[in-house]
Amino acid sequence: SLNVAGFIEPLLFNFNEEDGIMNQILPIGYWWQLLYCTIFLLACTCVSLIGSSTVSKTGSFLTIILITATLSVPISAIFVKPFDVPELNTHYTGLSYKTFKENLLPHFTKGAAGSQRKAVETFNDLFGIFFPATAGIFAGASMSGDLQNPSKSIPKGTLWGLLLTFTCYALVIISMGASIPRDFLHKDVQVIQTVNLSTVLVLLGEASTSLFSVIVGIVGAAKVLQAIARDEILPGLKLFAIGDKKSDDPIYGILFTWLLTQLFLFADINQIATFITMAFLMTFIVTNLACFLLKLGSAPNFRPSFKYFSNK
């Protein structure tokens, strides 16, 4: 739901009928936005139903677009010259030590572009919105059934994903903090696109990450549900244990995930982000607690093969 809403927002920013940057063609409003989200989610669900192997192949192409768009942010910070933005009564400084120093320490405000809160933002608010953007690296664990050697591929893939994610995010955050004044960041919800060398590339990056995250999220969640149903962990889930005859893909799980995702689209994107953060944190807490108890109890079937595993 978060990634669906996250794509529709910049789409409307660029193509809404009132003041779209690229074109003015899409009507705006709550129900129109819900309709766009529904169509986008339905398209991603149809792709998910094709099969997980097709999803994996598509991911390689979309990843290239995403990394290129991400790297364009620090590159733009170097090459885009300072300019004024009269409509927002602000300006872009480019790389500047003064700008970097002004943005270095927290300074929470209220009324920022895109914010739904009337009160002053807090660290918890920002953490709740930002955290889901880092959780995509765990998507591979949800599709571990498609891996030839999950015990090696999941830790290796997760660690490399962490390193790549941290590097890209650090480059983007530092380059933006050193080149975009706080006032500009406060007023422009699409500030990355405004100061980028290519507005189209940023939009393609947003589309690729949203598209792939939605598809992988649907397939991954359905596979986890299928595994829970087959292990009979919870009663009444036998229907979701059924897989496609050829590929064993969880068709019923995908349809259920689509329905659940559709229901959450009625909420605001910031509300969805905060809820997802709590869900992820609860998942991590329960996983770590289970791991700790298994190690503490010396369970004979608990034999982690990851060489850096520790219960300390």
Side-chain angles (χ1 to χ4, degrees):
S1 300
L2 179 68
N3 286 288
V4 171
F7 171 66
I8 298 302
E9 192 170 274
L11 182 70
L12 291 178
F13 180 83
N14 287 279
F15 295 100
N16 76 81
E17 63 180 0
E18 293 183 359
D19 54 0
I21 294 177
M22 295 186 178
N23 209 331
Q24 295 83 36
I25 54 176
L26 296 177
I28 56 176
Y30 173 80
W31 293 108
W32 278 109
Q33 186 166 341
L34 180 62
L35 176 62
Y36 303 144
C37 289
T38 300
I39 294 173
F40 183 63
L41 175 61
L42 185 61
C44 292
T45 304
C46 292
V47 175
S48 302
L49 291 170
I50 296 175
S52 55
S53 58
T54 304
V55 173
S56 299
K57 293 177 181 177
T58 306
S60 301
F61 174 71
L62 294 176
T63 300
I64 295 173
I65 298 177
L66 175 59
I67 292 178
T68 303
T70 302
L71 293 178
S72 72
V73 177
I75 293 174
S76 297
I78 297 173
F79 292 103
V80 174
K81 297 180 180 180
F83 62 88
D84 293 325
V85 187
E87 59 269 22
L88 297 177
N89 192 27
T90 185
H91 67 285
Y92 172 72
T93 63
L95 289 179
S96 167
Y97 176 73
K98 180 181 177 181
T99 302
F100 176 76
K101 187 177 180 180
E102 290 175 350
N103 288 328
L104 190 59
L105 299 177
H107 181 64
F108 297 110
T109 58
K110 62 179 180 179
S115 175
Q116 303 295 324
R117 283 180 55 86
K118 296 181 180 179
V120 176
E121 302 285 355
T122 64
F123 175 81
N124 290 337
D125 299 328
L126 301 182
F127 179 79
I129 294 172
F130 179 77
F131 181 79
T134 67
I137 55 176
F138 297 105
S142 302
M143 302 177 66
S144 58
D146 296 329
L147 300 173
Q148 293 182 351
N149 194 342
S151 62
K152 290 186 177 180
S153 299
I154 291 177
K156 184 178 180 181
T158 300
L159 290 175
W160 278 109
L162 280 168
L163 179 61
L164 179 62
T165 302
F166 176 80
T167 303
C168 290
Y169 277 29
L171 284 173
V172 170
I173 293 171
I174 293 173
S175 60
M176 289 180 64
S179 61
I180 307 175
R182 185 185 297 271
D183 183 58
F184 199 169
L185 293 168
H186 186 270
K187 294 179 178 179
D188 190 355
V189 70
Q190 284 291 105
V191 65
I192 293 180
Q193 192 173 16
T194 305
V195 303
N196 202 276
L197 288 168
S198 173
T199 56
V200 176
L201 182 59
V202 174
L203 184 60
L204 288 175
E206 293 170 338
S208 63
T209 185
S210 300
L211 178 63
F212 189 62
S213 296
V214 173
I215 295 173
V216 170
I218 292 173
V219 176
K223 284 184 175 291
V224 171
L225 181 60
Q226 185 184 48
I228 292 174
R230 288 180 174 177
D231 291 342
E232 298 181 353
I233 297 175
L234 297 173
L237 299 178
K238 290 185 178 180
L239 176 66
F240 300 111
I242 303 173
D244 183 70
K245 293 182 179 180
K246 292 183 179 180
S247 60
D248 198 35
D249 287 327
I251 304 300
Y252 293 108
I254 290 175
L255 294 176
F256 177 75
T257 305
W258 163 78
L259 177 62
L260 194 62
T261 306
Q262 180 63 50
L263 292 176
F264 273 90
L265 288 176
F266 286 92
D268 172 71
I269 185 172
N270 292 333
Q271 294 175 325
I272 297 173
T274 305
F275 180 81
I276 288 176
T277 296
M278 296 305 299
F280 267 118
L281 292 178
M282 288 296 293
T283 301
F284 296 156
I285 290 172
V286 173
T287 302
N288 281 287
L289 179 61
C291 184
F292 172 74
L293 293 175
L294 286 169
K295 180 66 177 180
L296 189 67
S298 300
N301 62 335
F302 183 66
R303 301 173 184 176
S305 59
F306 186 48
K307 65 180 181 179
Y308 296 111
F309 170 81
S310 173
N311 65 324
K312 296 179 181 179

